[in-house]
Amino acid sequence: RAFKLARAEYLLMSLWKVPDAETAEFMEKFYQGLFASRDIEKSYRETQQLMKEKYPKEPYKWAAFVLMR
């Protein structure tokens, strides 16, 4: 609720603890895509797909991240 009161349009959060290396990797790819396209939802989807392809048998490394509007 506080984020909405602060007028945040989106929240990118984790549903569980993700290893630090994979969190850093996810965030780097996400922000690179965001700065390139200026489209937060597109960047999120592309990052999820890249991580899913890289870690297909380890979803705990990427599936915890959710983007809420």
Side-chain angles (χ1 to χ4, degrees):
R1 182 171 172 203
F3 288 107
K4 290 296 179 185
L5 290 173
R7 301 190 189 261
E9 289 186 45
Y10 292 93
L11 294 175
L12 178 61
M13 65 183 109
S14 175
L15 298 175
W16 58 81
K17 186 171 171 49
V18 179
D20 290 342
E22 287 76 12
T23 297
E25 182 180 1
F26 188 99
M27 293 303 164
E28 284 180 31
K29 291 179 186 307
F30 172 74
Y31 281 106
Q32 287 171 355
L34 180 59
F35 292 143
S37 70
R38 300 284 183 201
D39 186 335
I40 193 168
E41 293 175 9
K42 178 182 175 193
S43 178
Y44 171 76
R45 286 190 306 272
E46 289 175 352
T47 304
Q48 281 282 86
Q49 188 60 38
L50 287 169
M51 297 292 284
K52 184 176 181 179
E53 290 170 4
K54 185 171 181 178
Y55 304 104
K57 296 184 183 206
E58 301 170 288
Y60 63 90
K61 291 183 175 181
W62 56 267
F65 297 105
V66 293
L67 180 67
M68 291 182 57
R69 183 171 187 152

